[in-house]
Amino acid sequence: MVRLLAAGGALLLAAQVAADNWPFAGYRTAPYLPPKVKVTKSGPTDPGYIFIGPRGNQPQGTAALIYDEDGGLVYQGPEEVTANFKVQKLFNEDVITFWAGNMGDLGFGYGTVHILDNTYREIYTVTLQDNFISPDGLPRDSYIDLHESQVTHRNTLLVTAYNVTQHDLSAIGGTPNDYMLDGMFFEIDIATNEIVYSWSVLEHLADIPIEGSKQGLGEEYGTMEKPWDAYHINSVELMDEGYIISLRHYWSGFYIHNNGTVMWRLSGEEEVGDFELDDKAVFAWQHDIRVYNQTSEGMVVDLFNNANTPTDVVAATTGLSMYVDLVNRKVSTLRTMKDSDDVIHSVSQGSYQLLSPQSSHVFMGYGSIARVKEYDADNNEVLTVQFGDDNAVASYRGFKCQWKATPFWQPAVAIVRTTSDAATMFMSWNGATEYDNWAIYSASSPLGEDMTFVSSVKRDGFETTAHVTGLRSNYLQVVARKGNTPLGTSVVAYF
Ligand SMILES: *[C@@H]1O[C@H](CO)[C@@H](O)[C@H](O)[C@H]1NC(C)=O
Ligand SMILES: *[C@@H]1O[C@H](CO)[C@@H](O)[C@H](O)[C@H]1NC(C)=O
Ligand SMILES: *[C@@H]1O[C@H](CO)[C@@H](O)[C@H](O)[C@H]1NC(C)=O
């Protein structure tokens, strides 16, 4: 208890120091400094919590984070760089999944995908080992790239990977001995960590020639340390007979058949891919290609249309939903989403999530711009959550997910004596979504003997404060409850 109190004091001080431009929250009961979020709500929203993985100019609050729509913290994971933090279905259960690792400064990363159950126990850890080459030539524990961590209905995980390869780049102004990055994806069986499918762009150069890349080679790229990022693979999703991948540096999605063949290309540039686009269906530098309602005649394709890159700021970033007509080889725009009161140019990262087919709400993470937004069925912005300064803090993707969790760890308590028989209590239970009140008990000994009910207090966000008086012992214990049902019990705390 003494230790917790001391930590609490240090934290409050640290919170003030860490608050550079953007404010951070500090707590008495947990060593967390998550960014405070600014919530603007302008219409009815879908149910769910906000899932982000901020990183940027401050080490504090760089973690998988869950907030509620009132801006309160619900969960903070360990301090590490994360991506794709969200709820997915695995073996018919809701689990949380996220990538954690090192992002590096070449636009890709090396890491591991963690899968946690609704008590936050890690039930699967997915890694990728193969004969990859890294820019520094050093081996990594796992080569899963940050861009994708998609669980499929067959309980496999789709991930991307980047490999350094020597390649003749004379055709695009380089030399025969230059280096570039291959774009690969893997389907991994989650239960066994076995690779069940892999695919590499460099093995399909006839279908996807390097000359088609929109990413110029530039002066500094083409060495092993700085390989040319021709493709920039950033999403993979299962299709009926294969996969659809997003290659940002081709402004395109490619449908890859199970046999490896490129079946078609949906390009955001007119007269390039296999489809005729309507005026609004043009897109560039995109992320997060998602497919719905696939039939032999067509499908809905959604994506985050960055329309910008660090060296090429073109148009406002939008969410784009299209119908791809396979029979007439035409693409027609179904929806475009942008907030006209808050026009964003996101030069990297980002996500597009259809919240539910019933509400048709869409949730978008703006990547390099530290904001997430929700749009209603009429494409009006109804929610904005900002968690940092523009271009100073990023979350690779941002999601809204429904989630119920009761952690395997105990609730935390910190106590400050105010008079000889009174105290102020601080109570929290990181990640718990189900409790709505705290019951406070006094005990006659550290063993929790002769428990006497002192009072109960309504849950107030992440950390609840209560003042208790008339105490007849120096031992207190708190219980997180839903109504009268106990869900978790703290240690017996001495104060
Ligand atoms: C990565 O590239 C190297 C060098 O070209 C090659 O030997 C290796 O097989 C590649 N790794 C994978 C997983 O494709
Ligand atoms: C892969 O399957 C597609 C669809 O059946 C077919 O058109 C294509 O020729 C096949 N490619 C190979 C290499 O077998
Ligand atoms: C898929 O089809 C169903 C039934 O027609 C429709 O209600 C739903 O909105 C469609 N989904 C998308 C993403 O268009």
Side-chain angles (χ1 to χ4, degrees):
M1 202 58 261
V2 170
R3 195 181 56 82
L4 253 184
L5 284 175
L11 271 180
L12 292 181
L13 192 68
Q16 280 145 20
V17 174
D20 183 3
N21 296 312
W22 193 261
F24 287 75
Y27 305 99
R28 295 283 188 138
T29 52
Y32 306 147
L33 292 168
K36 285 189 175 167
V37 298
K38 192 172 139 200
V39 180
T40 317
K41 212 164 159 174
S42 55
T45 56
D46 272 9
Y49 295 108
I50 288 119
F51 283 61
I52 51 174
R55 59 178 213 286
N57 58 359
Q58 322 240 17
Q60 297 84 357
T62 297
L65 300 174
I66 304 176
Y67 291 89
D68 62 30
E69 243 177 64
D70 298 323
L73 181 72
V74 174
Y75 170 75
Q76 172 164 336
E79 273 187 1
E80 56 191 348
V81 172
T82 65
N84 307 323
F85 179 40
K86 65 172 171 175
V87 177
Q88 302 196 73
K89 274 252 187 287
L90 176 64
F91 299 115
N92 282 322
E93 302 284 343
D94 280 345
V95 294
I96 54 178
T97 63
F98 61 96
W99 176 94
N102 293 313
M103 284 203 182
D105 50 16
L106 291 170
F108 68 100
Y110 296 114
T112 297
V113 175
H114 302 276
I115 304 184
L116 278 50
D117 68 9
N118 63 7
T119 70
Y120 299 95
R121 273 205 173 84
E122 182 146 346
I123 49 173
Y124 296 102
T125 308
V126 183
T127 60
L128 176 62
Q129 277 103 21
D130 208 331
N131 57 336
F132 287 94
I133 309 285
S134 63
D136 57 16
L138 298 173
R140 298 296 194 283
D141 294 338
S142 171
Y143 290 89
I144 297 180
D145 166 51
L146 67 102
H147 287 94
E148 188 62 280
S149 323
Q150 186 83 2
V151 177
T152 70
H153 64 78
R154 52 191 187 220
N155 303 310
T156 56
L157 187 74
L158 294 173
V159 301
T160 49
Y162 287 58
N163 189 30
V164 179
T165 296
Q166 201 168 29
H167 199 84
D168 183 351
L169 299 184
S170 336
I172 57 146
T175 74
N177 301 316
D178 278 343
Y179 287 85
M180 66 179 286
L181 291 168
D182 193 2
M184 306 186 74
F185 71 86
F186 292 80
E187 182 173 357
I188 302 172
D189 182 66
I190 292 171
T192 62
N193 206 59
E194 267 166 36
I195 297 168
V196 296
Y197 189 85
S198 72
W199 189 87
S200 128
V201 188
L202 278 177
E203 286 173 10
H204 296 88
L205 281 170
D207 291 328
I208 310 180
I210 57 168
E211 293 88 335
S213 178
K214 297 286 180 186
Q215 182 77 354
L217 178 58
E219 294 283 294
E220 9 162 10
Y221 291 91
T223 61
M224 181 164 160
E225 299 74 28
K226 283 196 159 188
W228 178 51
D229 187 5
Y231 310 114
H232 205 82
I233 187 168
N234 62 17
S235 73
V236 193
E237 185 160 78
L238 223 48
M239 298 273 272
D240 288 348
E241 289 178 51
Y243 308 84
I244 188 162
I245 61 170
S246 166
L247 298 188
R248 168 165 152 103
H249 291 175
Y250 278 66
W251 302 0
S252 295
F254 292 86
Y255 173 25
I256 313 297
H257 193 274
N258 286 320
N259 64 19
T261 298
V262 176
M263 299 300 288
W264 45 254
R265 171 181 183 181
L266 167 61
S267 168
E269 196 179 11
E270 279 169 287
E271 285 162 31
V272 172
D274 296 314
F275 303 93
E276 193 187 314
L277 307 181
D278 75 18
D279 292 348
K280 288 184 186 159
V282 293
F283 61 88
W285 308 112
Q286 83 288 338
H287 280 86
D288 209 6
I289 293 188
R290 299 294 154 204
V291 170
Y292 298 90
N293 290 357
Q294 196 193 340
T295 69
S296 57
E297 289 171 1
M299 70 201 75
V300 174
V301 174
D302 294 346
L303 56 84
F304 183 79
N305 176 22
N306 293 75
N308 299 282
T309 196
T311 51
D312 184 23
V313 176
V314 181
T317 295
T318 60
L320 178 59
S321 178
M322 302 164 279
Y323 181 73
V324 176
D325 178 343
L326 296 175
V327 179
N328 301 300
R329 297 269 149 174
K330 279 190 172 162
V331 174
S332 42
T333 304
L334 301 171
R335 305 175 69 172
T336 54
M337 274 141 282
K338 72 164 186 252
D339 183 352
S340 36
D341 294 331
D342 180 20
V343 176
I344 291 177
H345 293 83
S346 168
V347 299
S348 70
Q349 312 159 82
S351 54
Y352 182 115
Q353 175 194 16
L354 176 64
L355 286 178
S356 81
Q358 289 76 31
S359 76
S360 292
H361 280 214
V362 167
F363 196 79
M364 282 162 53
Y366 282 82
S368 60
I369 303 295
R371 263 171 273 178
V372 292
K373 286 177 185 283
E374 181 174 340
Y375 294 88
D376 69 12
D378 300 320
N379 307 323
N380 296 312
E381 183 264 359
V382 289
L383 176 75
T384 296
V385 179
Q386 186 174 2
F387 49 89
D389 288 318
D390 287 359
N391 293 307
V393 174
S395 178
Y396 168 57
R397 287 172 175 170
F399 296 99
K400 190 180 221 190
C401 305
Q402 298 187 56
W403 176 237
K404 285 187 180 185
T406 299
F408 71 81
W409 51 77
Q410 288 182 290
V413 59
I415 309 170
V416 177
R417 186 185 290 279
T418 48
T419 64
S420 61
D421 72 342
T424 301
M425 311 199 45
F426 303 90
M427 299 159 279
S428 72
W429 198 9
N430 185 34
T433 59
E434 299 308 290
Y435 76 96
D436 54 27
N437 74 92
W438 291 99
I440 301 165
Y441 294 87
S442 77
S444 66
S445 80
L447 302 172
E449 289 156 320
D450 306 325
M451 303 295 291
T452 314
F453 178 78
V454 177
S455 67
S456 72
V457 54
K458 220 172 129 242
R459 176 182 186 165
D460 178 22
F462 185 82
E463 187 173 79
T464 303
T465 306
H467 304 284
V468 287
T469 55
L471 298 172
R472 276 172 292 173
S473 94
N474 292 332
Y475 299 99
L476 287 167
Q477 189 171 37
V478 298
V479 179
R481 307 190 302 187
K482 180 176 190 150
N484 287 322
T485 309
L487 298 180
T489 303
S490 75
V491 296
V492 176
Y494 174 78
F495 70 101

